[in-house]
């Protein structure tokens, strides 16, 4: 990592990923390339953030394809650290962001958020970027990283980027290729969120009603949570006022997916941030399409 950092000059942008790149990752890279002199992307499937070993085992990977895609985006350096380069020996240190990292994903995936925060801290220390790009798809992760950077005084600007959806609304995730026949069922989550966003746009601010719109769309037993939270602290809020986000997680067979819509209310009403939709099948499906 030190070598990669030494090679980079000017304003350096960092895009951390776990690989099996899709258009969501590429949108972060494109933004960094447009805004920074040099862009470093990392590809590291971080074992610390997997609470379920089976999930780690089946996590999709295609390094050659990832390297080609990142290069085509204009990424200057793709860093693929070996585990021993990330941590000389298994780290005893964990970075935990109290409260923000302990709720939601922290409850359902014990150790996950600390694993993310620890690895991002390691990448920021090793690569010393000026700007670091993260997707709003992982709203809680973005809140955790924003706070850890503030608390630990890393001289980096954290940049939150739009959530990218497949053409039918499913939030893009590398894990979507694992959904198979359950993909149609999994669409219920984004459908529920879009219903909630529509209600918000029509003036509905009550958390109970917005959360129920999601609950009503998702098959029984699949939903882990649907919670309206204040965006920077991830605390539950009863009313969508100021900057809030309706965060959700659900399981379809062995695949767990998360999704959200941002709900920003102001005096003139408010607007739901549904993210951006692809106009074509995602590249994760190769030439087969969906
Ligand atoms: P991952 O490889 O899943 O760890 O994601 C790496 C980065 O890409 C994180 O900052 C994610 O929030 C971001 N990302 C993943 N999926 C999306 C998406 N659908 N839209 C925007 N950003 C995303």
């Amino acid at each position: 990592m030190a070598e990669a950092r030494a090679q980079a000059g000017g304003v350096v942008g960092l895009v951390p990923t776990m690989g099996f790149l899709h258009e969501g990752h590429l949108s972060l890279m494109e933004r960094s390339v447009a805004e920074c002199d040099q862009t470093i992307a990392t590809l590291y499937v971080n074992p610390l953030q997997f609470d379920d070993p089976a999930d780690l085992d089946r996590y999709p990977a295609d390094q050659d394809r990832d390297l080609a895609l990142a290069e085509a985006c204009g990424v200057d350096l793709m860093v693929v650290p070996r585990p021993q380069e990330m941590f000389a020996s298994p780290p005893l240190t964990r970075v935990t962001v109290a409260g923000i990292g302990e709720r939601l994903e922290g409850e359902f995936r014990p150790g996950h958020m600390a694993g993310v925060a620890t690895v991002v801290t390691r990448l920021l220390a090793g690569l010393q970027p000026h700007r670091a790009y993260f997707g709003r798809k992982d709203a809680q992760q973005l809140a955790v990283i924003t706070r850890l950077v503030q608390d630990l005084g890393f001289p980096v600007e954290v940049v939150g980027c739009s959530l990218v959806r497949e053409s039918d609304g499913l939030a893009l995730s590398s894990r979507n290729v694992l959904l198979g026949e359950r993909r149609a069922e999994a669409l219920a989550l984004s459908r529920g969120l879009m219903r909630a966003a529509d209600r918000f746009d029509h003036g509905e601010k009550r958390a109970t009603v917005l959360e129920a719109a999601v609950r009503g769309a998702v098959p029984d037993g699949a939903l882990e949570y649907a919670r309206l939270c204040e965006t920077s602290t991830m605390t539950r809020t009863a009313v969508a006022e100021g900057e809030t986000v309706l965060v959700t997680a659900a399981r379809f067979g062995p695949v767990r997916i998360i999704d959200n819509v941002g709900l920003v209310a102001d005096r003139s009403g408010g607007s739901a941030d549904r993210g951006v939709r692809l106009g074509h099948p995602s590249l994760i499906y190769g030439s087969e399409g969906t």
Side-chain angles (χ1 to χ4, degrees), residues 222-239:
L223 193 69
E224 285 191 347
Y225 61 77
R227 220 176 293 172
L228 183 71
C229 293
E230 200 272 318
T231 306
S232 60
T233 60
M234 286 289 150
T235 45
R236 187 165 187 275
T237 173
V239 184

Side-chain angles (χ1 to χ4, degrees), residues 16-18 22 24-25 28 134-135 137-138 141 162-164 172:
T17 82
M18 295 206 299
H22 52 64
H25 299 116
L28 271 52
F134 296 92
K137 152 89 178 356
D138 300 276
Q141 172 174 292
S162 293
L163 188 163
V164 181
L172 257 170

